């Protein structure tokens, strides 16, 4: 399978900060690569370089067969970009936004209008298409922004945290759109801090931190790296935590995690339901009253925490969780989509 995106040895430094440290990545045609990492890991810097918004200090890359360094204009003609925050003009209507992007891509007035209408229908924005974007909800703006990345029907899409700030329903709707795009043959590089999003959408996941690769593989392969099943037990009273821990330590294949406040314990095991049955019997023999018990497999959250030592999603008071108009961004944060489009025609040519 041919790689639609291939990069080797990408490095980028901002003063004393090494944002990318020899990053390699490849995305086969018609697949989704999930690029995961905590805040400041280098995800947005990587996207900015691959979409020609930044120049790497060193390294090489090709996008849809075009060389990043020697053919940047050709790269821009073959990609679509949706950044962390919806890059749409609030004064224009949804239709006018899409038509403008089409004109900037050189589609011509008739084709640009046709594509605007097609995309409004595809993203369920027909009823809102003639309204100013400032009247749109967050989910509607996000869909319009993604529609803008598709105006020229590019073979490669870069989606930088596309569901940031969306409610659960809007996030599911956008996931559906992304699956449809991949089903039609598009190639996606997706950055996200939502582990469920990567689990649902990505064919392969690359976990990075401090601009370096930590792990790569399918969601299943990464989960295997942190072990097998886990027994999760919640006890009735705090005094039962000690006896419960001793029971589980005798059966576990690793350290038993104890959450005193939640009165819960988590023990990695090998043996599945058989070991769970043994644990329940021994807990009962030791007078431990259990209010909840379960057997679960590791999640991508477990993988992320094991690899990076940090949770994936930012806390509310972290910079990346601040509103778009005030949030400090990682050096080289992606610019609006128009910055990644081909050279714009003159202002006279884009007048409606």
């Amino acid at each position: 399978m041919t790689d639609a995106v291939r990069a080797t040895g990408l490095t980028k430094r901002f003063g004393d900060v090494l944002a990318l440290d020899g990053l390699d990545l490849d995305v086969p045609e018609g697949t989704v690569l999930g690029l995961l990492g905590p805040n400041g890991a280098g995800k947005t810097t990587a996207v900015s370089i691959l979409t020609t918004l930044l120049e790497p200090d060193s390294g090489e890359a090709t996008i849809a067969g075009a060389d990043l360094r020697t053919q940047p204009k050709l790269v821009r003609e073959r990609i679509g970009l949706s950044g962390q925050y919806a890059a749409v003009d609030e004064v224009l209507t949804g239709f006018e936004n899409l038509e403008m992007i089409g004109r900037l891509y050189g589609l011509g007035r008739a084709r640009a209008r046709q594509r605007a209408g097609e995309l409004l229908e595809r993203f369920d924005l027909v009823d809102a298409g003639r309204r100013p974007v400032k009247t749109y909800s967050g989910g509607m703006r996000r869909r319009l922004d993604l529609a803008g990345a598709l105006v020229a029907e590019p073979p490669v899409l870069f989606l930088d945290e596309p569901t940031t700030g969306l409610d659960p329903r809007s996030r599911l709707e956008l996931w559906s759109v992304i699956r449809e795009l991949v089903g039609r043959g598009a190639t996606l590089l997706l950055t996200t801090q939502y582990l469920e999003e990567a689990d649902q959408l990505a064919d392969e996941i690359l976990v990075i931190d401090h601009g370096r690769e930590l792990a790569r593989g399918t969601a299943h392969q990464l989960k295997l790296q942190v072990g097998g099943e886990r027994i999760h037990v919640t006890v009735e009273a705090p005094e039962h935590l000690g006896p419960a821990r001793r029971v589980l330590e005798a059966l576990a294949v690793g350290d038993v995690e104890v959450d005193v406040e939640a009165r819960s314990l988590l023990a990695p095991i090998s043996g599945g339901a058989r070991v769970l049955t043994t644990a329940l019997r021994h807990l009962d023999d030791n007078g431990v009253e259990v209010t909840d018990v379960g057997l679960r497999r590791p999640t991508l959250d477990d993988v992320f925490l094991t690899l990076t030592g940090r949770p994936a999603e930012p806390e509310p008071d972290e910079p990346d969780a601040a509103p778009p108009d005030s949030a400090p961004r990682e050096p080289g944060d992606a610019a609006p989509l128009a910055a990644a489009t081909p050279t714009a025609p003159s202002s006279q040519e884009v007048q409606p």
Side-chain angles (χ1 to χ4, degrees):
M1 186 180 295
T2 304
D3 288 331
V5 179
R6 175 177 287 274
T8 56
L10 292 181
T11 65
K12 186 65 179 179
R13 181 181 291 277
F14 300 94
D16 295 332
V17 177
L18 184 60
L20 290 183
D21 187 11
L23 183 66
D24 301 333
L25 57 84
D26 51 84
V27 192
E29 289 181 353
T31 66
V32 180
L33 174 69
L35 189 60
L36 270 62
N39 292 336
K43 304 186 299 297
T44 296
T45 299
V47 169
S48 297
I49 287 174
L50 294 173
T51 55
T52 76
L53 298 176
L54 282 176
E55 291 188 6
D57 295 335
S58 62
E60 305 293 334
T62 56
I63 314 295
D67 186 271
L68 187 70
R69 288 185 178 274
T70 62
Q71 301 171 297
K73 184 176 184 297
L74 189 56
V75 169
R76 290 192 288 271
E77 292 175 357
R78 298 179 178 180
I79 65 172
L81 167 64
S82 181
Q84 290 187 23
Y85 307 108
V88 290
D89 191 311
E90 293 192 344
V91 176
L92 299 179
T93 67
F95 183 91
E96 289 168 342
N97 267 276
L98 298 180
E99 181 190 6
M100 177 184 66
I101 293 171
R103 299 295 299 280
L104 289 172
Y105 268 109
L107 297 186
R109 177 180 297 180
R111 180 56 179 156
R113 287 176 176 269
Q114 181 184 12
R115 281 297 288 160
E118 292 170 354
L119 290 166
L120 288 174
E121 183 174 357
R122 186 174 180 183
F123 285 84
D124 194 25
L125 291 169
V126 173
D127 292 341
R130 301 295 177 177
R131 284 167 32 201
V133 171
K134 63 184 177 183
T135 67
Y136 286 18
S137 67
M140 294 167 66
R141 293 183 190 210
R142 215 45 172 127
R143 295 204 304 274
L144 181 65
D145 187 60
L146 184 53
L150 300 176
V151 168
E153 302 179 271
V156 179
L157 285 171
F158 293 88
L159 307 182
D160 192 10
E161 302 192 17
T163 60
T164 296
L166 295 188
D167 59 78
R169 179 179 178 180
S170 297
R171 187 175 298 165
L172 291 174
E173 290 175 350
L174 197 54
W175 288 359
S176 178
V177 170
I178 291 172
R179 291 190 185 97
E180 179 188 345
L181 294 175
V182 177
R184 291 170 174 257
T187 302
L188 269 66
L189 190 151
L190 168 77
T191 77
T192 182
Q193 290 181 334
Y194 298 114
L195 281 302
E196 183 186 5
E197 188 160 270
D199 214 348
Q200 290 283 332
L201 300 176
D203 297 292
E204 188 176 40
I205 295 169
L206 176 62
V207 183
I208 67 173
D209 197 10
H210 301 293
R212 298 187 299 273
E213 176 182 326
L214 296 183
R216 180 193 303 248
T218 65
H220 177 69
Q221 290 168 341
L222 293 177
K223 291 172 186 177
L224 289 178
Q225 292 187 23
V226 297
E229 300 99 338
R230 285 151 166 71
I231 292 177
H232 184 268
V233 175
T234 302
V235 297
E236 175 67 28
E239 57 267 24
H240 293 159
L241 285 171
R245 181 172 189 166
R246 289 190 289 273
V247 168
L248 294 178
E249 285 178 337
L251 301 170
V253 294
D255 295 334
V256 176
E257 300 176 22
V258 179
D259 186 332
V260 176
E261 185 176 345
R263 303 191 311 279
S264 66
L265 305 94
L266 189 67
I269 63 163
S270 176
R274 176 180 55 81
V275 176
L276 175 61
T277 301
T278 301
L280 287 172
R281 185 172 64 251
H282 290 178
L283 288 169
D284 185 60
D285 292 342
N286 283 269
V288 176
E289 296 184 28
V290 175
T291 59
D292 190 25
V293 65
L295 183 66
R296 71 174 180 86
R297 298 186 183 279
T299 66
L300 278 181
D301 294 84
D302 298 320
V303 173
F304 198 95
L305 188 60
T306 299
L307 292 173
T308 70
R310 292 181 269 175
E313 298 180 25
E315 296 297 325
D317 58 349
E318 290 188 38
D320 282 3
D325 58 350
S326 63
R329 298 188 184 181
E330 183 183 277
D333 243 355
L337 178 141
T341 60
T343 303
S346 68
S347 60
Q348 183 178 5
E349 292 177 308
V350 298
Q351 292 297 319

